[in-house]
Amino acid sequence: MKPRFRLRCRPCLLLSIVVSLILLGSGCERRFKESKFLLGTIVEITIIASKGDSQRAMRLAFEEIERIDSLMNLYNENSEVSRINRSAGKPAVAVSPDTLEVVSRSIKFSELTNGAFDITVGPLMELWGFRKGQKRIPSDAEVAKTLPLVDYRKITVDPRRSTVGLASPGMRIDVGAIAVGYAVDKAIQALKEAGIDKALINAGGEIYALGSPPGKSAWRIGIRHPRRGNDLIGILELKDRAVSTSGDYENFFEANGKRYCHIMNPKIGRPVEGIMSATVVADSVTEADALSTALLPSGTKAGMKLVESLKGVDCMIVTGEKEEDMKILMSGGMKENLSED
């Protein structure tokens, strides 16, 4: 997924959703849009409201995103995530309710996906050079040495004391595959509390569509073609729902004619293969963010089975390595809400 401020374990990465904003007609409500560089990406908030309502709501929404960024940015040595990582193998670290919630929910997603989602992939990201821009193929021995550090079951969470710890020295958590979605959800909550009922937040492709534009039944959101950057696979119509796409086409390197992307399979310690992208629609961006990441290492069979077992969740999985091998699989709900134009 992308150098987003590098909160994600995937610089400027996978999120590849193009938002098609609807032009508004005349009336009391107007469209207000503002963008900032946060969470390692461009965060764009669009609000449809009266001018007085929008200014305060916009400020509150961005303040929430900035707050989450300060807590969980992996590249900020003062963030709570950085403090957790520095204390690996040592006593647990006291953290805020938000960090505690993100880590706790990450563990639940790990359990749900049988370990396909795992925030302890930090050492693997460093090994493959996706952290400092020195991408390389490590030896089998290096991978084998690093794998014992990747295990969500070695994260300790104490809700009563509000602490998070890592059992072994050298472990590293990277909440980039969930924290961006969580930040968008918090910003949406702030907008609602400020009285806003029509808005769209796009954080590098992690999107929540609140309400719908005037005269429209939903926001129209295009899903990018994983091998043709200027083309779309289709357009989703969303209202009061979230969408996230994870893919192999933003942060990767090629060696000997093979593509190696930033999304790791935590079980084997290597980049995922055979799936170009996964798009998930869910009730929250937190859920969509985590699940879209998990679907790539899960594989198509297990991934589709997982999605179909979850209420209110739909997905599109694009398989293959090259465009000529590309196949598209969709859950029933995704087929109903996706159009070609």
Side-chain angles (χ1 to χ4, degrees):
M1 297 180 218
K2 69 194 185 47
R4 313 175 129 183
F5 205 169
R6 309 222 200 167
L7 174 58
R8 298 207 145 223
C9 42
R10 22 179 184 176
C12 213
L13 43 179
L14 41 102
L15 295 162
S16 45
I17 297 180
V18 181
V19 178
S20 178
L21 295 177
I22 311 300
L23 294 177
L24 305 180
S26 59
C28 296
E29 291 185 321
R30 296 172 54 196
R31 187 183 76 183
F32 300 89
K33 183 167 65 175
E34 187 174 340
S35 301
K36 292 186 179 182
F37 187 73
L38 294 166
L39 303 168
T41 189
I42 299 298
V43 178
E44 183 178 85
I45 300 179
T46 302
I47 293 174
I48 298 173
S50 64
K51 184 175 181 180
D53 293 337
S54 68
Q55 291 178 330
R56 175 175 175 271
M58 188 79 75
R59 175 176 56 81
L60 292 173
F62 273 118
E63 284 177 355
E64 276 298 277
I65 295 173
E66 290 166 357
R67 186 176 63 82
I68 300 304
D69 189 20
S70 69
L71 294 173
M72 303 180 202
N73 192 319
L74 186 65
Y75 290 82
N76 176 358
E77 63 179 15
N78 296 317
S79 72
E80 292 184 345
V81 165
S82 293
R83 291 198 292 109
I84 292 169
N85 289 340
R86 284 197 298 271
S87 295
K90 301 175 183 178
V93 173
V95 297
S96 64
D98 289 293
T99 299
L100 187 74
E101 181 175 355
V102 166
V103 174
S104 298
R105 293 188 68 177
S106 295
I107 294 172
K108 291 185 183 299
F109 281 118
S110 295
E111 295 169 345
L112 178 67
T113 62
N114 193 28
F117 181 87
D118 193 331
I119 61 173
T120 64
V121 294
L124 287 174
M125 299 298 292
E126 294 174 2
L127 181 66
W128 284 82
F130 285 103
R131 274 287 155 268
K132 298 180 179 179
Q134 299 172 337
K135 300 168 186 175
R136 68 186 188 94
I137 303 175
S139 67
D140 291 344
E142 288 176 301
V143 172
K145 183 179 179 180
T146 304
L147 268 177
L149 300 174
V150 181
D151 188 345
Y152 69 90
R153 292 165 296 189
K154 294 182 179 180
I155 304 172
T156 60
V157 176
D158 186 336
R160 186 171 63 85
R161 291 188 172 89
S162 192
T163 61
V164 175
L166 302 176
S168 303
M171 289 185 69
R172 298 286 185 273
I173 63 169
D174 185 333
V175 297
I178 186 172
V180 176
Y182 180 79
V184 174
D185 284 335
K186 297 295 284 188
I188 286 291
Q189 180 181 337
L191 290 181
K192 290 179 178 179
E193 291 174 354
I196 301 299
D197 59 6
K198 301 181 187 71
L200 190 91
I201 299 182
N202 178 13
E206 311 293 355
I207 295 172
Y208 191 90
L210 177 62
S212 60
K216 304 292 181 179
S217 61
W219 296 89
R220 289 167 55 84
I221 299 171
I223 302 175
R224 173 181 157 178
H225 191 293
R227 291 296 181 264
R228 285 187 265 136
N230 294 325
D231 291 340
L232 302 178
I233 291 179
I235 296 175
L236 279 171
E237 292 196 350
L238 289 185
K239 178 181 179 181
D240 298 323
R241 302 212 75 200
V243 64
S244 170
T245 295
S246 298
D248 69 354
Y249 41 82
E250 290 292 349
N251 187 20
F252 67 92
F253 68 94
E254 293 183 343
N256 301 319
K258 186 174 181 178
R259 179 185 298 235
Y260 297 89
C261 76
H262 69 283
I263 303 174
M264 293 288 153
N265 184 328
K267 297 183 179 180
I268 64 173
R270 297 181 180 280
V272 298
E273 299 180 31
I275 296 182
M276 299 181 189
S277 68
T279 298
V280 170
V281 175
D283 291 332
S284 74
V285 195
T286 303
E287 185 176 26
D289 194 3
L291 290 177
S292 66
T293 301
L295 289 182
L296 275 81
S298 292
T300 55
K301 185 176 180 180
M304 291 298 293
K305 183 178 180 180
L306 170 64
V307 167
E308 289 169 355
S309 72
L310 300 173
K311 184 179 180 180
V313 177
D314 286 296
C315 76
M316 170 195 290
I317 300 175
V318 182
T319 67
E321 296 289 341
K322 298 180 180 180
E323 184 174 352
E324 53 265 33
D325 305 322
M326 192 176 83
K327 294 181 180 179
I328 300 175
L329 305 175
M330 288 187 280
S331 62
M334 182 68 81
K335 293 177 183 178
E336 294 175 1
N337 293 303
L338 191 73
S339 62
E340 294 184 0
D341 51 30

